[in-house]
Amino acid sequence: MSNNKTHFGYKTIDESEKAKKVAEVFHSVAKNYDIMNDVMSGGLHRAWKHFTINTAHLKKGDKVLDIAGGTGDLSRGWAKRVGDKGEVWLTDINSSMLSVGRDRLLNEGVILPVSLADAEKLPFPSNYFNLVSVAFGLRNMTHKEAALKEMYRVLKPGGTLLVLEFSKVFKPLAPAYDLYSFKLLPLMGKMIAKDADSYQYLAESIRMHPDQETLKQMMLDAGFDSVDYYNLTAGVVALHKGVKY
């Protein structure tokens, strides 16, 4: 068992415990995940994902891997872009989230392969995908550097990685954002999802996630080139983009 330490929100725990604790959070929130996203972001998460989809330069027949794809918002968008001859994999490490996403897409008539997959050990061949995406999942991974290297591995040369994640808000807005995150967010989690603790963790995990420039450097260190990012909603969220040459 590993004696290395990592963060679970603001707590310091053994690395070996993190995956289990994160899993408990997402098993708990899965059924209410979509409605909580709408409430928490005022619907803005849809605009952030729409921007992400429009940033990708996909063509019919391309292959896409959606990591930590959860309830399938990005996978649905990718499937429309690549068409019937394309290939989109919806993956998540959490079986509850993956089941909700799979069933939701099936109900909409979107049929695509799904896989219960750990981003740090992806079950896909090297140089396979034209695009890899991860939205609001990277911050929950224990070894982010390992996950980024795996994303690099499975991309074809010329392929693109898109990372949509909560980031560091512009400084003048930080006090108001903190008030919202640590007072209102757990309260909404308690009232709507009957789970204040999970949303307390999610707020803390956002603060512990690397800022825009740090994540950019991590992507460069993983092998990506032409790494850049777009701040969305005053830096509440950032979309990082990197290319494998």
Side-chain angles (χ1 to χ4, degrees):
M1 183 175 290
S2 168
N3 291 320
N4 293 332
K5 300 294 183 180
T6 190
H7 294 288
F8 178 75
Y10 287 164
K11 297 175 184 174
T12 300
I13 62 173
D14 287 339
E15 281 189 349
S16 58
E17 295 178 27
K18 181 165 182 176
K20 180 184 177 185
K21 286 184 173 293
V22 170
E24 289 170 354
V25 168
F26 284 94
H27 284 311
S28 175
V29 304
K31 287 184 179 178
N32 294 294
Y33 187 78
D34 287 326
I35 189 170
M36 279 299 294
N37 273 353
D38 281 331
V39 171
M40 288 188 303
S41 70
L44 278 172
H45 77 100
R46 298 176 185 274
W48 299 331
K49 292 168 182 171
H50 185 69
F51 179 81
T52 300
I53 291 166
N54 285 337
T55 299
H57 299 293
L58 285 173
K59 61 185 185 298
K60 300 296 183 184
D62 277 352
K63 296 180 175 68
V64 182
L65 173 61
D66 187 12
I67 293 175
T71 54
D73 284 343
L74 286 186
S75 288
R76 183 198 301 104
W78 301 140
K80 290 179 182 177
R81 290 299 180 95
V82 302
D84 293 340
K85 293 184 179 179
E87 186 177 325
V88 178
W89 281 84
L90 169 62
T91 71
D92 205 292
I93 196 172
N94 187 275
S95 58
S96 296
M97 292 292 290
L98 192 64
S99 295
V100 170
R102 176 202 61 202
D103 293 349
R104 179 181 169 197
L105 291 177
L106 283 173
N107 287 339
E108 297 173 4
V110 180
I111 300 171
L112 45 76
V114 300
S115 175
L116 195 66
D118 182 348
E120 297 176 20
K121 300 184 287 285
L122 291 171
F124 299 102
S126 301
N127 306 311
Y128 188 77
F129 292 99
N130 301 97
L131 176 74
V132 173
S133 64
V134 53
F136 306 116
L138 184 64
R139 74 180 189 281
N140 296 308
M141 296 174 191
T142 306
H143 306 100
K144 296 176 182 62
E145 295 87 352
L148 289 169
K149 286 180 180 177
E150 274 290 88
M151 296 174 204
Y152 182 88
R153 178 185 67 78
V154 300
L155 275 170
K156 293 180 179 181
T160 300
L161 170 65
L162 293 175
V163 180
L164 181 66
E165 186 56 88
F166 290 107
S167 200
K168 294 296 182 284
V169 70
F170 292 165
K171 207 164 188 178
L173 299 177
Y177 187 47
D178 282 345
L179 178 66
Y180 167 79
S181 298
F182 295 107
K183 299 296 184 184
L184 292 179
L185 193 58
L187 181 61
M188 287 189 288
K190 181 179 181 180
M191 292 174 63
I192 298 171
K194 307 294 186 282
D195 186 354
D197 290 346
S198 290
Y199 285 91
Q200 179 74 26
Y201 159 72
L202 292 174
E204 292 176 3
S205 71
I206 290 167
R207 294 305 186 278
M208 298 305 295
H209 186 66
D211 64 15
Q212 288 90 328
E213 285 294 325
T214 303
L215 180 53
K216 177 180 178 179
Q217 188 58 52
M218 289 170 66
M219 290 174 65
L220 289 167
D221 292 343
F224 289 96
D225 291 292
S226 303
V227 179
D228 204 356
Y229 58 85
Y230 309 87
N231 282 313
L232 307 176
T233 316
V236 169
V237 165
L239 175 65
H240 282 68
K241 181 179 182 179
V243 179
K244 175 179 178 177
Y245 287 136

